[in-house]
Amino acid sequence: MAKNNENYVPLTVNTLPERLGSIDAIVSRLGSDTSKWKSSEIGDGNLNMVFILTSAKGSVIVKQALPYVRLVGDSWPLPLKRAFFEYHALIRQEERDPGSVPEVYHFDEDQAIIVMEFLSPHTILRNSLMAGKKVTGLAKTLGLFCARTLFRGSDLSMDTRERKADVALFVDNAELCDITETLIFSDPYFDAQRNHHTPQLDNIVAQLRNDIDLKVEAQHLKAKFCNNGETMLHGDLHTGSVMVTDSEAKIIDPEFVLYGPMGFDIGMLLANFWMAYFAQPGHASAKGERAEYQNWILDVVEGIWKEFLVEFSRLWREERTGILYEKSLFEDQNHALASEQALAHRLNNIWDDTLGFAGVEIIRRTLSLAHIAENEMIADEELRADCETRGLKLARQLVVNKSKMNSMASVNDLVRVIAFSCFKEKNS
Ligand code: SR1
Ligand code: MG
Protein backbone atom coordinates (compact mmCIF):
# COMPACT_ATOMS: atom_id res chain seq x y z
CA MET A 1 0.00 0.00 0.00
CA ALA A 2 1.22 3.50 -0.85
CA LYS A 3 2.20 5.77 2.12
CA ASN A 4 1.24 9.36 2.84
CA ASN A 5 3.95 11.75 1.73
CA GLU A 6 4.05 14.03 4.80
CA ASN A 7 7.62 15.26 4.25
CA TYR A 8 7.31 15.82 0.52
CA VAL A 9 9.12 18.85 -0.92
CA PRO A 10 9.29 19.43 -4.69
CA LEU A 11 12.78 19.35 -6.20
CA THR A 12 14.22 22.27 -8.13
CA VAL A 13 17.24 22.41 -10.41
CA ASN A 14 19.13 24.20 -7.60
CA THR A 15 18.23 21.82 -4.78
CA LEU A 16 18.84 18.56 -6.65
CA PRO A 17 22.57 18.09 -5.73
CA GLU A 18 22.00 18.88 -2.05
CA ARG A 19 18.84 16.75 -1.81
CA LEU A 20 20.19 13.73 -3.69
CA GLY A 21 23.90 13.95 -2.83
CA SER A 22 23.82 11.12 -0.28
CA ILE A 23 22.00 8.54 -2.36
CA ASP A 24 24.43 5.71 -3.12
CA ALA A 25 22.72 4.73 -6.36
CA ILE A 26 23.36 8.23 -7.71
CA VAL A 27 26.77 8.87 -6.16
CA SER A 28 28.08 5.59 -7.63
CA ARG A 29 27.11 6.85 -11.09
CA LEU A 30 27.91 10.60 -10.85
CA GLY A 31 30.65 10.72 -8.22
CA SER A 32 30.42 12.23 -4.74
CA ASP A 33 31.47 15.80 -5.60
CA THR A 34 28.01 17.34 -5.94
CA SER A 35 29.51 20.69 -6.93
CA LYS A 36 30.32 19.05 -10.29
CA TRP A 37 26.75 17.86 -10.85
CA LYS A 38 24.63 19.73 -13.37
CA SER A 39 20.88 19.49 -13.69
CA SER A 40 18.12 20.63 -15.99
CA GLU A 41 14.38 20.08 -16.07
CA ILE A 42 13.24 18.39 -19.28
CA GLY A 43 9.71 17.23 -18.47
CA ASP A 44 7.30 17.82 -21.32
CA GLY A 45 4.60 15.40 -20.18
CA ASN A 46 1.25 16.31 -18.68
CA LEU A 47 1.89 15.35 -15.05
CA ASN A 48 5.42 15.34 -13.59
CA MET A 49 8.80 17.01 -13.20
CA VAL A 50 11.65 15.23 -14.99
CA PHE A 51 15.27 16.26 -14.45
CA ILE A 52 18.53 15.12 -16.03
CA LEU A 53 21.31 15.04 -13.47
CA THR A 54 24.79 14.86 -15.00
CA SER A 55 28.47 14.86 -14.07
CA ALA A 56 31.61 14.06 -16.05
CA LYS A 57 31.12 10.43 -14.93
CA GLY A 58 27.54 9.83 -16.03
CA SER A 59 23.89 10.84 -16.05
CA VAL A 60 20.63 9.78 -14.41
CA ILE A 61 17.00 10.75 -14.81
CA VAL A 62 15.17 12.00 -11.73
CA LYS A 63 11.39 11.92 -12.05
CA GLN A 64 9.26 13.46 -9.32
CA ALA A 65 5.48 13.52 -9.13
CA LEU A 66 3.83 16.87 -8.43
CA PRO A 67 0.77 17.08 -6.17
CA TYR A 68 -1.28 18.32 -9.11
CA VAL A 69 -1.66 17.85 -12.88
CA ARG A 70 1.21 19.83 -14.43
CA LEU A 71 -0.73 20.46 -17.65
CA VAL A 72 -3.56 22.19 -15.79
CA GLY A 73 -1.99 23.49 -12.56
CA ASP A 74 -2.83 23.25 -8.87
CA SER A 75 -6.58 23.58 -9.54
CA TRP A 76 -6.41 19.84 -10.38
CA PRO A 77 -4.81 18.02 -7.41
CA LEU A 78 -3.38 14.56 -8.05
CA PRO A 79 -1.91 12.21 -5.43
CA LEU A 80 1.84 11.69 -5.21
CA LYS A 81 1.33 7.96 -4.75
CA ARG A 82 1.32 7.58 -8.54
CA ALA A 83 5.13 7.40 -8.28
CA PHE A 84 4.70 4.31 -6.08
CA PHE A 85 2.52 2.65 -8.72
CA GLU A 86 4.89 3.64 -11.52
CA TYR A 87 7.83 2.14 -9.63
CA HIS A 88 5.98 -1.14 -9.03
CA ALA A 89 4.86 -1.27 -12.66
CA LEU A 90 8.41 -0.66 -13.92
CA ILE A 91 9.90 -3.48 -11.89
CA ARG A 92 7.18 -5.90 -13.04
CA GLN A 93 7.60 -4.88 -16.69
CA GLU A 94 11.36 -5.43 -16.41
CA GLU A 95 10.75 -8.92 -14.98
CA ARG A 96 8.17 -9.79 -17.62
CA ASP A 97 9.99 -8.33 -20.64
CA PRO A 98 13.64 -7.82 -19.65
CA GLY A 99 15.34 -4.79 -21.19
CA SER A 100 12.10 -3.16 -22.33
CA VAL A 101 12.05 -0.34 -19.75
CA PRO A 102 14.67 1.99 -18.22
CA GLU A 103 16.63 0.52 -15.32
CA VAL A 104 15.40 1.83 -11.96
CA TYR A 105 18.28 2.89 -9.67
CA HIS A 106 16.42 4.27 -6.66
CA PHE A 107 12.91 4.93 -5.38
CA ASP A 108 11.94 7.38 -2.62
CA GLU A 109 8.29 6.94 -1.75
CA ASP A 110 8.07 9.94 0.62
CA GLN A 111 9.41 12.31 -2.01
CA ALA A 112 7.63 10.54 -4.92
CA ILE A 113 10.99 10.31 -6.72
CA ILE A 114 12.16 7.61 -9.13
CA VAL A 115 15.81 7.75 -10.19
CA MET A 116 16.40 5.81 -13.36
CA GLU A 117 18.54 5.20 -16.40
CA PHE A 118 19.09 8.19 -18.71
CA LEU A 119 18.25 6.82 -22.14
CA SER A 120 20.64 8.39 -24.63
CA PRO A 121 20.63 9.14 -27.55
CA HIS A 122 16.92 8.26 -27.42
CA THR A 123 14.11 10.64 -28.32
CA ILE A 124 10.37 10.39 -27.79
CA LEU A 125 8.84 8.22 -30.54
CA ARG A 126 6.11 10.81 -31.16
CA ASN A 127 8.80 13.36 -32.11
CA SER A 128 10.56 10.90 -34.36
CA LEU A 129 7.24 10.12 -36.11
CA MET A 130 6.78 13.85 -36.76
CA ALA A 131 10.33 14.07 -38.12
CA GLY A 132 9.72 11.13 -40.48
CA LYS A 133 12.39 8.94 -38.90
CA LYS A 134 12.21 5.14 -39.02
CA VAL A 135 13.17 2.83 -36.17
CA THR A 136 14.47 -0.62 -37.08
CA GLY A 137 12.80 -3.39 -35.08
CA LEU A 138 10.14 -1.10 -33.61
CA ALA A 139 7.18 -3.40 -34.31
CA LYS A 140 8.99 -6.36 -32.80
CA THR A 141 9.90 -4.58 -29.57
CA LEU A 142 6.41 -3.15 -29.09
CA GLY A 143 4.60 -6.35 -30.06
CA LEU A 144 6.75 -8.43 -27.71
CA PHE A 145 6.32 -5.92 -24.89
CA CYS A 146 2.54 -6.07 -25.21
CA ALA A 147 2.41 -9.87 -25.46
CA ARG A 148 4.80 -10.49 -22.56
CA THR A 149 3.49 -7.91 -20.12
CA LEU A 150 -0.17 -8.66 -20.89
CA PHE A 151 0.26 -12.43 -20.69
CA ARG A 152 2.64 -12.59 -17.74
CA GLY A 153 0.65 -10.03 -15.75
CA SER A 154 -2.55 -12.03 -16.08
CA ASP A 155 -4.14 -15.06 -14.54
CA LEU A 156 -2.97 -17.06 -17.56
CA SER A 157 0.44 -16.90 -15.92
CA MET A 158 0.17 -15.88 -12.26
CA ASP A 159 -0.95 -18.02 -9.36
CA THR A 160 -4.02 -16.95 -7.47
CA ARG A 161 -2.27 -15.46 -4.40
CA GLU A 162 0.24 -13.41 -6.42
CA ARG A 163 -2.43 -12.21 -8.83
CA LYS A 164 -4.85 -11.08 -6.09
CA ALA A 165 -2.05 -9.31 -4.23
CA ASP A 166 -1.16 -7.35 -7.36
CA VAL A 167 -4.78 -6.49 -8.11
CA ALA A 168 -5.06 -5.20 -4.52
CA LEU A 169 -1.82 -3.23 -4.84
CA PHE A 170 -2.75 -1.42 -8.04
CA VAL A 171 -6.45 -0.89 -7.30
CA ASP A 172 -5.48 2.14 -5.22
CA ASN A 173 -4.27 3.95 -8.36
CA ALA A 174 -7.84 5.21 -8.55
CA GLU A 175 -7.22 8.88 -9.36
CA LEU A 176 -5.26 8.02 -12.51
CA CYS A 177 -7.95 5.54 -13.56
CA ASP A 178 -10.44 8.34 -13.01
CA ILE A 179 -8.50 10.54 -15.46
CA THR A 180 -8.72 7.82 -18.13
CA GLU A 181 -12.36 7.03 -17.36
CA THR A 182 -13.25 10.71 -17.67
CA LEU A 183 -10.99 12.02 -20.44
CA ILE A 184 -11.18 9.00 -22.74
CA PHE A 185 -14.61 7.55 -22.20
CA SER A 186 -16.90 10.38 -21.07
CA ASP A 187 -15.75 13.93 -21.84
CA PRO A 188 -15.50 13.54 -25.64
CA TYR A 189 -19.18 12.57 -25.84
CA PHE A 190 -20.60 15.81 -24.42
CA ASP A 191 -19.58 19.44 -24.11
CA ALA A 192 -17.35 18.89 -21.07
CA GLN A 193 -15.56 21.84 -19.53
CA ARG A 194 -12.01 20.69 -20.27
CA ASN A 195 -12.67 19.78 -23.91
CA HIS A 196 -11.32 21.72 -26.85
CA HIS A 197 -11.12 21.08 -30.57
CA THR A 198 -10.03 22.73 -33.77
CA PRO A 199 -12.91 25.11 -34.72
CA GLN A 200 -13.26 23.66 -38.23
CA LEU A 201 -14.34 20.39 -36.60
CA ASP A 202 -17.55 21.88 -35.12
CA ASN A 203 -19.83 19.99 -37.51
CA ILE A 204 -18.19 16.59 -37.20
CA VAL A 205 -17.96 17.00 -33.42
CA ALA A 206 -21.71 17.72 -33.26
CA GLN A 207 -22.37 14.66 -35.44
CA LEU A 208 -20.25 12.42 -33.22
CA ARG A 209 -21.94 13.66 -30.05
CA ASN A 210 -25.34 12.86 -31.59
CA ASP A 211 -24.22 9.44 -32.79
CA ILE A 212 -26.10 7.07 -30.52
CA ASP A 213 -24.38 3.89 -31.76
CA LEU A 214 -21.01 5.49 -31.11
CA LYS A 215 -21.97 6.70 -27.65
CA VAL A 216 -23.36 3.31 -26.60
CA GLU A 217 -20.30 1.42 -27.89
CA ALA A 218 -17.97 3.89 -26.18
CA GLN A 219 -19.79 3.25 -22.91
CA HIS A 220 -19.54 -0.53 -23.43
CA LEU A 221 -15.79 0.00 -23.81
CA LYS A 222 -15.74 2.08 -20.63
CA ALA A 223 -17.53 -0.76 -18.82
CA LYS A 224 -14.81 -3.15 -20.03
CA PHE A 225 -12.08 -0.76 -18.94
CA CYS A 226 -13.61 -0.48 -15.45
CA ASN A 227 -14.81 -4.05 -14.92
CA ASN A 228 -12.56 -6.34 -16.88
CA GLY A 229 -9.34 -6.57 -14.87
CA GLU A 230 -7.64 -9.15 -17.07
CA THR A 231 -4.05 -8.06 -16.70
CA MET A 232 -1.63 -5.42 -15.47
CA LEU A 233 -1.72 -2.71 -18.14
CA HIS A 234 0.80 0.03 -18.78
CA GLY A 235 -2.31 2.21 -18.88
CA ASP A 236 -0.95 5.05 -21.06
CA LEU A 237 0.88 3.32 -23.88
CA HIS A 238 0.93 6.03 -26.53
CA THR A 239 3.86 7.09 -28.71
CA GLY A 240 4.90 9.66 -26.08
CA SER A 241 5.54 6.72 -23.73
CA VAL A 242 8.15 5.14 -26.01
CA MET A 243 11.75 6.34 -26.41
CA VAL A 244 13.70 5.39 -29.49
CA THR A 245 17.00 5.50 -31.33
CA ASP A 246 17.16 4.40 -34.96
CA SER A 247 17.34 0.78 -33.83
CA GLU A 248 16.04 0.51 -30.25
CA ALA A 249 12.84 1.26 -28.35
CA LYS A 250 12.16 1.44 -24.60
CA ILE A 251 8.83 1.91 -22.89
CA ILE A 252 8.52 4.57 -20.18
CA ASP A 253 5.96 6.20 -17.87
CA PRO A 254 3.62 3.45 -16.62
CA GLU A 255 2.10 5.62 -13.87
CA PHE A 256 -1.43 4.93 -15.20
CA VAL A 257 -0.90 1.23 -14.41
CA LEU A 258 -4.06 -0.72 -13.57
CA TYR A 259 -5.61 -4.12 -13.93
CA GLY A 260 -7.74 -3.81 -17.06
CA PRO A 261 -8.67 -5.41 -20.38
CA MET A 262 -5.92 -6.89 -22.57
CA GLY A 263 -6.82 -4.84 -25.65
CA PHE A 264 -6.43 -1.44 -23.97
CA ASP A 265 -2.64 -0.97 -24.26
CA ILE A 266 -2.38 -2.25 -27.83
CA GLY A 267 -5.44 -0.26 -28.88
CA MET A 268 -4.02 3.00 -27.50
CA LEU A 269 -0.66 2.30 -29.14
CA LEU A 270 -2.10 1.55 -32.59
CA ALA A 271 -4.40 4.59 -32.39
CA ASN A 272 -1.38 6.82 -31.94
CA PHE A 273 0.34 5.32 -35.00
CA TRP A 274 -2.79 5.83 -37.08
CA MET A 275 -3.05 9.45 -35.92
CA ALA A 276 0.64 9.94 -36.76
CA TYR A 277 -0.13 8.51 -40.22
CA PHE A 278 -2.96 10.99 -40.82
CA ALA A 279 -0.87 13.91 -39.51
CA GLN A 280 2.05 13.36 -41.92
CA PRO A 281 0.89 15.95 -44.51
CA GLY A 282 1.16 18.53 -41.71
CA HIS A 283 4.86 17.72 -41.27
CA ALA A 284 5.97 17.16 -44.87
CA SER A 285 8.07 19.81 -46.58
CA ALA A 286 6.50 18.97 -49.96
CA LYS A 287 3.22 17.36 -51.01
CA GLY A 288 3.54 13.57 -51.15
CA GLU A 289 6.98 13.65 -49.52
CA ARG A 290 5.83 11.41 -46.67
CA ALA A 291 3.96 8.78 -48.75
CA GLU A 292 6.63 6.12 -48.30
CA TYR A 293 6.94 6.98 -44.61
CA GLN A 294 3.19 6.65 -44.17
CA ASN A 295 3.43 3.13 -45.60
CA TRP A 296 6.16 2.38 -43.07
CA ILE A 297 3.87 3.51 -40.23
CA LEU A 298 1.16 1.13 -41.42
CA ASP A 299 3.75 -1.67 -41.72
CA VAL A 300 4.67 -1.01 -38.08
CA VAL A 301 1.00 -1.31 -37.09
CA GLU A 302 0.70 -4.66 -38.87
CA GLY A 303 4.02 -5.77 -37.44
CA ILE A 304 3.04 -4.95 -33.86
CA TRP A 305 -0.14 -6.97 -34.17
CA LYS A 306 1.67 -9.90 -35.83
CA GLU A 307 4.45 -9.97 -33.22
CA PHE A 308 1.85 -9.73 -30.48
CA LEU A 309 -0.13 -12.69 -31.87
CA VAL A 310 2.92 -14.90 -32.36
CA GLU A 311 4.40 -14.21 -28.92
CA PHE A 312 1.10 -14.36 -27.04
CA SER A 313 0.36 -17.72 -28.73
CA ARG A 314 3.83 -19.02 -27.83
CA LEU A 315 3.35 -17.98 -24.21
CA TRP A 316 -0.09 -19.60 -24.20
CA ARG A 317 1.46 -22.89 -25.34
CA GLU A 318 4.63 -22.77 -23.24
CA GLU A 319 3.92 -20.69 -20.10
CA ARG A 320 0.25 -21.23 -19.27
CA THR A 321 0.83 -21.95 -15.60
CA GLY A 322 -1.79 -19.70 -14.02
CA ILE A 323 -5.35 -20.00 -12.82
CA LEU A 324 -7.07 -20.13 -16.22
CA TYR A 325 -7.28 -22.79 -18.96
CA GLU A 326 -5.07 -25.16 -16.95
CA LYS A 327 -3.07 -27.65 -18.95
CA SER A 328 -4.55 -30.33 -16.71
CA LEU A 329 -7.87 -29.66 -18.45
CA PHE A 330 -6.51 -29.45 -21.98
CA GLU A 331 -3.12 -30.83 -23.07
CA ASP A 332 -3.06 -33.41 -20.25
CA GLN A 333 -6.43 -34.74 -21.44
CA ASN A 334 -5.14 -35.04 -24.98
CA HIS A 335 -7.19 -31.94 -25.82
CA ALA A 336 -4.45 -29.76 -27.28
CA LEU A 337 -6.78 -28.73 -30.12
CA ALA A 338 -9.32 -27.48 -27.61
CA SER A 339 -6.58 -25.37 -26.06
CA GLU A 340 -5.93 -23.85 -29.51
CA GLN A 341 -9.66 -23.15 -29.83
CA ALA A 342 -9.67 -21.39 -26.46
CA LEU A 343 -6.62 -19.37 -27.51
CA ALA A 344 -8.35 -18.31 -30.74
CA HIS A 345 -11.41 -17.17 -28.75
CA ARG A 346 -9.26 -15.13 -26.37
CA LEU A 347 -7.35 -13.54 -29.25
CA ASN A 348 -10.63 -12.66 -30.99
CA ASN A 349 -11.80 -10.87 -27.86
CA ILE A 350 -8.50 -8.99 -27.62
CA TRP A 351 -8.78 -8.05 -31.32
CA ASP A 352 -12.27 -6.54 -30.91
CA ASP A 353 -11.23 -4.66 -27.78
CA THR A 354 -8.02 -3.41 -29.44
CA LEU A 355 -9.95 -1.83 -32.31
CA GLY A 356 -12.56 -0.33 -30.00
CA PHE A 357 -10.02 1.17 -27.60
CA ALA A 358 -8.04 2.51 -30.55
CA GLY A 359 -11.17 4.30 -31.75
CA VAL A 360 -11.97 5.98 -28.43
CA GLU A 361 -8.31 7.00 -28.04
CA ILE A 362 -8.38 8.82 -31.40
CA ILE A 363 -11.64 10.55 -30.49
CA ARG A 364 -10.38 11.73 -27.12
CA ARG A 365 -7.05 13.00 -28.52
CA THR A 366 -9.09 15.20 -30.89
CA LEU A 367 -12.03 16.32 -28.74
CA SER A 368 -10.98 16.03 -25.10
CA LEU A 369 -8.22 17.64 -22.98
CA ALA A 370 -4.88 16.09 -23.97
CA HIS A 371 -4.30 16.36 -27.72
CA ILE A 372 -1.29 14.97 -29.59
CA ALA A 373 1.67 17.07 -30.72
CA GLU A 374 1.43 15.68 -34.29
CA ASN A 375 -1.83 17.58 -34.72
CA GLU A 376 -1.23 20.48 -32.30
CA MET A 377 1.94 21.47 -34.12
CA ILE A 378 0.19 21.89 -37.47
CA ALA A 379 -0.22 25.68 -37.49
CA ASP A 380 -2.52 25.75 -40.53
CA GLU A 381 -5.92 25.10 -38.89
CA GLU A 382 -7.55 23.92 -42.13
CA LEU A 383 -4.86 21.33 -42.65
CA ARG A 384 -4.94 20.29 -39.00
CA ALA A 385 -8.72 19.87 -39.14
CA ASP A 386 -8.35 17.81 -42.30
CA CYS A 387 -5.88 15.42 -40.61
CA GLU A 388 -8.05 15.21 -37.49
CA THR A 389 -11.21 14.57 -39.53
CA ARG A 390 -9.60 11.54 -41.16
CA GLY A 391 -8.72 10.21 -37.74
CA LEU A 392 -12.26 10.74 -36.48
CA LYS A 393 -13.70 8.92 -39.50
CA LEU A 394 -11.48 5.94 -38.81
CA ALA A 395 -12.26 6.09 -35.10
CA ARG A 396 -16.01 5.94 -35.60
CA GLN A 397 -15.60 2.85 -37.80
CA LEU A 398 -13.30 1.18 -35.28
CA VAL A 399 -15.67 1.71 -32.36
CA VAL A 400 -18.95 0.89 -34.09
CA ASN A 401 -17.93 -1.67 -36.74
CA LYS A 402 -15.04 -3.44 -35.02
CA SER A 403 -16.73 -6.84 -35.12
CA LYS A 404 -16.90 -6.65 -38.94
CA MET A 405 -13.14 -6.14 -39.29
CA ASN A 406 -11.05 -9.26 -39.43
CA SER A 407 -7.45 -8.46 -40.25
CA MET A 408 -4.99 -5.66 -39.60
CA ALA A 409 -4.29 -5.49 -43.33
CA SER A 410 -7.96 -4.72 -43.97
CA VAL A 411 -8.01 -2.06 -41.23
CA ASN A 412 -4.94 -0.46 -42.82
CA ASP A 413 -6.74 -0.59 -46.19
CA LEU A 414 -9.58 1.32 -44.55
CA VAL A 415 -7.05 3.85 -43.23
CA ARG A 416 -5.78 4.40 -46.80
CA VAL A 417 -9.31 4.70 -48.20
CA ILE A 418 -10.19 7.30 -45.56
CA ALA A 419 -7.05 9.28 -46.34
CA PHE A 420 -7.91 9.23 -50.04
CA SER A 421 -11.64 9.98 -49.69
CA CYS A 422 -11.04 12.92 -47.36
CA PHE A 423 -8.71 14.48 -49.94
CA LYS A 424 -11.38 13.94 -52.58
CA GLU A 425 -14.05 15.55 -50.39
CA LYS A 426 -11.84 18.55 -49.80
CA ASN A 427 -11.05 18.98 -53.47
CA SER A 428 -14.54 18.43 -54.89
C1 SR1 B 1 -4.50 15.15 -17.19
S1 SR1 B 1 -3.49 13.96 -17.86
C2 SR1 B 1 -3.91 13.89 -19.52
C3 SR1 B 1 -3.36 12.74 -20.25
O1 SR1 B 1 -1.93 12.75 -20.14
C4 SR1 B 1 -1.47 11.44 -19.86
O2 SR1 B 1 -0.37 11.14 -20.63
C5 SR1 B 1 -2.64 10.53 -20.12
O3 SR1 B 1 -2.70 10.15 -21.48
C6 SR1 B 1 -3.78 11.39 -19.73
O4 SR1 B 1 -4.99 10.94 -20.26
MG1 MG C 1 3.09 9.93 -19.44
Side-chain angles (χ1 to χ4, degrees):
M1 182 119 158
K3 289 197 279 181
N4 287 327
N5 310 69
E6 279 160 16
N7 305 314
Y8 170 87
V9 181
L11 293 164
T12 67
V13 165
N14 295 332
T15 61
L16 266 173
E18 172 206 327
R19 298 259 319 264
L20 306 182
S22 60
I23 296 172
D24 288 345
I26 304 183
V27 170
S28 66
R29 288 172 174 90
L30 302 192
S32 55
D33 184 354
T34 57
S35 69
K36 304 258 170 62
W37 294 6
K38 290 196 171 58
S39 61
S40 55
E41 206 275 323
I42 53 149
D44 61 355
N46 295 331
L47 300 183
N48 306 297
M49 303 288 283
V50 181
F51 301 89
I52 300 184
L53 191 54
T54 308
S55 76
K57 275 186 79 184
S59 302
V60 297
I61 287 289
V62 179
K63 179 171 179 179
Q64 187 181 38
L66 289 166
Y68 52 82
V69 174
R70 181 177 183 167
L71 173 71
V72 174
D74 55 13
S75 62
W76 189 346
L78 200 61
L80 298 167
K81 65 186 175 189
R82 63 186 187 271
F84 169 89
F85 298 115
E86 175 165 355
Y87 165 72
H88 281 281
L90 279 169
I91 55 177
R92 282 160 180 73
Q93 289 167 342
E94 175 59 27
E95 263 171 38
R96 291 167 188 165
D97 186 21
S100 62
V101 298
E103 187 182 342
V104 174
Y105 301 143
H106 176 77
F107 173 55
D108 180 336
E109 189 174 351
D110 273 339
Q111 300 302 325
I113 289 171
I114 304 173
V115 181
M116 62 189 124
E117 182 182 0
F118 171 51
L119 296 171
S120 175
H122 299 63
T123 55
I124 294 286
L125 173 59
R126 195 182 290 295
N127 295 337
S128 108
L129 289 167
M130 281 190 278
K133 289 191 184 146
K134 295 182 184 173
V135 181
T136 308
L138 182 61
K140 182 156 194 153
T141 304
L142 296 176
L144 291 181
F145 176 81
C146 289
R148 290 172 181 170
T149 56
L150 299 183
F151 187 95
R152 291 175 173 153
S154 80
D155 39 21
L156 295 168
S157 169
M158 296 165 86
D159 73 33
T160 194
R161 164 69 42 206
E162 187 193 9
R163 146 91 177 176
K164 267 89 181 165
D166 262 20
V167 170
L169 182 93
F170 289 113
V171 80
D172 194 28
N173 201 13
E175 291 77 7
L176 275 80
C177 287
D178 182 37
I179 290 179
T180 304
E181 289 153 13
T182 305
L183 294 189
I184 298 190
F185 295 103
S186 293
D187 281 4
Y189 302 94
F190 75 110
D191 189 18
Q193 205 191 349
R194 292 187 180 118
N195 289 345
H196 65 103
H197 62 256
T198 309
Q200 287 82 350
L201 296 182
D202 279 352
N203 284 343
I204 190 167
V205 169
Q207 275 171 35
L208 291 174
R209 291 202 178 126
N210 280 317
D211 187 330
I212 301 305
D213 290 340
L214 176 67
K215 182 157 37 188
V216 170
E217 282 304 324
Q219 296 321 293
H220 289 332
L221 287 160
K222 183 174 182 177
K224 282 196 174 171
F225 179 81
C226 296
N227 300 336
N228 201 0
E230 287 180 308
T231 191
M232 190 196 90
L233 296 173
H234 177 286
D236 197 28
L237 190 55
H238 54 80
T239 49
S241 298
V242 181
M243 295 197 70
V244 295
T245 64
D246 56 12
S247 60
E248 186 183 75
K250 299 256 185 190
I251 289 84
I252 61 168
D253 276 5
E255 65 206 327
F256 282 79
V257 55
L258 75 149
Y259 263 81
M262 295 241 183
F264 184 78
D265 278 352
I266 323 173
M268 180 179 278
L269 188 60
L270 298 189
N272 280 268
F273 279 104
W274 282 318
M275 286 188 282
Y277 171 94
F278 287 126
Q280 289 302 310
H283 301 278
S285 47
K287 196 161 187 276
E289 183 220 23
R290 294 289 179 96
E292 197 262 332
Y293 189 68
Q294 284 181 302
N295 285 331
W296 177 80
I297 293 176
L298 297 189
D299 286 347
V300 172
V301 166
E302 268 192 73
I304 290 171
W305 183 253
K306 192 190 110 216
E307 296 290 347
F308 170 76
L309 284 186
V310 169
E311 181 68 356
F312 192 93
S313 303
R314 184 188 73 76
L315 295 169
W316 177 279
R317 291 171 196 131
E318 295 176 12
E319 285 190 18
R320 213 172 70 251
T321 53
I323 313 161
L324 296 181
Y325 307 93
E326 299 108 299
K327 291 200 168 182
S328 54
L329 296 180
F330 288 94
E331 286 82 351
D332 297 354
Q333 307 297 329
N334 219 6
H335 283 165
L337 274 179
S339 157
E340 292 297 306
Q341 182 180 327
L343 167 63
H345 290 168
R346 292 299 299 240
L347 288 172
N348 277 341
N349 290 342
I350 298 172
W351 166 255
D352 274 8
D353 288 357
T354 295
L355 298 186
F357 289 125
V360 293
E361 166 70 358
I362 294 173
I363 292 171
R364 78 90 172 220
R365 294 287 185 190
T366 320
L367 270 58
S368 184
L369 173 72
H371 291 205
I372 58 166
E374 285 95 322
N375 288 331
E376 292 301 273
M377 289 180 70
I378 303 175
D380 175 348
E381 276 194 352
E382 294 286 340
L383 179 57
R384 188 196 319 147
D386 207 42
C387 300
E388 291 175 327
T389 299
R390 291 178 205 140
L392 291 174
K393 288 189 173 191
L394 172 67
R396 202 261 170 198
Q397 293 292 322
L398 292 174
V399 175
V400 176
N401 293 325
K402 53 188 172 307
S403 55
K404 296 182 190 144
M405 300 179 183
N406 45 30
S407 75
M408 201 53 88
S410 67
V411 179
N412 276 343
D413 285 345
L414 174 65
V415 171
R416 290 189 173 96
V417 167
I418 288 171
F420 178 69
S421 63
C422 287
F423 280 122
K424 266 185 32 181
E425 271 169 37
K426 201 180 166 213
N427 295 334
S428 60

